[in-house]
């Protein structure tokens, strides 16, 4: 279980962690920056699709380990009282953060599905769909950022 916790909860420890706290958030930020080119050119390069697959892998690894940990009774650190009403990070615990973490994970999977729809040209014309690509990838980056944030920081209802 410790290996699963390590894989699932890996975070960068540098000052850059404010911009991208996890490898997943970094990969989605790169995808967002990269998505501007297909939106402007109207075509998707093979390298963009490869990077999208990398983002899928970086999504599914923590998702799979998170499901296994949840089945074992684990919750996000911000939702666990380790004593004195504090988390392992020394912040007030907030039980609602566990469901919030799941919500953002679901948004991440939904966003990746929408990106797939946009780059394949299904349900919407290919050229007009690619114009929305930066919006969806920016949303995905925000979701990836929030996944890491809610796991560590308390919300607006700590200790309830």
């Amino acid at each position: 279980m410790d290996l699963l916790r390590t894989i699932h909860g890996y975070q960068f420890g540098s000052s850059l962690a404010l911009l991208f706290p996890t490898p997943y958030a970094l990969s989605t930020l790169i995808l967002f920056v990269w998505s501007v080119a297909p939106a402007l050119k109207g075509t998707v390069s093979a390298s963009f699709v490869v990077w999208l697959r990398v983002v899928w892998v970086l999504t599914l690894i923590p998702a799979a380990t998170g499901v296994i940990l949840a089945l074992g009774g684990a919750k996000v650190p911000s939702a666990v009282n380790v004593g004195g009403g504090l988390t392992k990070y020394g912040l007030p615990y907030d039980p609602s953060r566990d469901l919030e973490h799941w919500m953002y994970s679901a948004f991440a999977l939904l966003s990746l599905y929408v990106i797939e729809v946009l780059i394949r040209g299904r349900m919407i014309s290919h050229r007009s769909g690619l114009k929305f690509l930066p919006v969806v990838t920016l949303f995905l980056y925000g979701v990836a950022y929030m996944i890491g944030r809610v796991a560590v920081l308390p919300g607006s209802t700590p200790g309830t």
Side-chain angles (χ1 to χ4, degrees), residues 99-129:
L99 287 175
E100 200 172 343
H101 190 71
W102 282 97
M103 176 193 69
Y104 283 120
S105 300
F107 281 155
L109 291 171
L110 181 64
S111 298
L112 285 168
Y113 174 74
V114 169
I115 292 169
E116 291 288 342
V117 168
L118 292 176
I119 66 172
R120 298 279 181 245
R122 298 197 178 130
M123 292 191 260
I124 187 170
S125 74
H126 187 64
R127 281 183 88 54
S128 61

Side-chain angles (χ1 to χ4, degrees), residues 72-89:
K75 295 183 184 280
V76 295
S78 63
V80 177
N81 181 2
V82 295
L86 300 176
T87 66
K88 72 177 190 176
Y89 299 110

Side-chain angles (χ1 to χ4, degrees), residues 76 78-79 93-101 150 154-158 160:
V76 295
S78 63
Y93 84 103
D94 186 354
S96 67
R97 291 304 238 189
D98 197 52
L99 287 175
E100 200 172 343
H101 190 71
V150 301
S156 61
T157 58
T160 59

